[in-house]
Amino acid sequence: MRWSGLGALALAGQLLAAASPAMAQAEDASPAPKPTQIPLTSESGRPDLYLQMPYYLGGFEPDIVMTRREEHFANLDADDQTRQEWESLLEEVGADVSNMVSGYALVSQEGFFSFVVAIRVEGVTPGTLLPAYLPILYEDLDDPQSVVGRMGGKDVTVITSIGSDDEYVEFYVYDEGDTIWMLQGPSDVVEVTLANLPDPLSVEE
């Protein structure tokens, strides 16, 4: 499958919009925190999502943007469709926006493009978040197709969608349990990144 930087860039915008309206508008999201501002652990005692974001993609340091809790609905009216979809999703998995943190890591260089989008909802039962999220994701993609596979030691869903110039681009979705990871870029970069992501949570956790 031909990899297209322009097509991937369009896909990144679609994924960011599907992941969080605030993330799609960088001015409404939190910039990467300074070292003294990084929360080392979440309420569950696990490392904060920011600390698990990739610090390198293909040898480049990515721009990292995080969105936390009520920031996800910043500047969105109560009757906004996207907000209502997310509120329904959170209700379905037994959570609310105060349990949610998301982020993206992005590298856009001449001849190289890669991104990672992560959505975490603390406290959900592992395995419930991704099925609830997929309808929102697919709604924002053009002719999505999916197949399951394995890469970087992780079980993944490979999703293809039409990007710019009617080219198909693909990205990888990894379900950690309470965290959805979406990755795009050259396959060797995706494989290394997946290998360094946390192992999936067990149902007992």
Side-chain angles (χ1 to χ4, degrees), residues 139-197:
E139 184 178 350
D140 283 343
L141 298 178
D142 191 357
D143 190 26
Q145 308 290 328
S146 65
V147 62
V148 296
R150 190 164 178 85
M151 178 175 274
K154 304 291 195 301
D155 293 326
V156 298
T157 301
V158 186
I159 299 177
T160 59
S161 176
I162 296 178
S164 64
D165 300 325
D166 293 329
E167 288 183 316
Y168 271 94
V169 291
E170 66 183 14
F171 64 100
Y172 298 78
V173 178
Y174 164 53
D175 182 6
E176 186 189 339
D178 65 353
T179 309
I180 300 168
W181 297 88
M182 293 173 281
L183 307 89
Q184 209 281 336
S187 59
D188 59 331
V189 174
V190 171
E191 184 170 12
V192 169
T193 304
L194 279 166
N196 285 286
L197 292 181

Side-chain angles (χ1 to χ4, degrees), residues 18-83:
S20 161
M23 287 167 58
Q25 303 173 18
E27 66 271 16
D28 292 330
S30 299
K34 297 177 182 178
T36 56
Q37 298 174 320
I38 298 173
L40 297 180
T41 59
S42 63
E43 293 181 2
S44 65
R46 295 163 62 209
D48 183 76
L49 182 61
Y50 175 79
L51 298 177
Q52 297 179 321
M53 297 296 288
Y55 287 172
Y56 291 95
L57 291 171
F60 299 99
E61 292 188 22
D63 294 322
I64 299 177
V65 173
M66 305 299 296
T67 307
R68 299 178 183 276
R69 303 181 181 88
E70 286 75 12
E71 289 178 339
H72 290 91
F73 296 154
N75 302 322
L76 291 181
D77 296 330
D79 59 354
D80 181 88
Q81 180 179 352
T82 300
R83 175 171 179 162

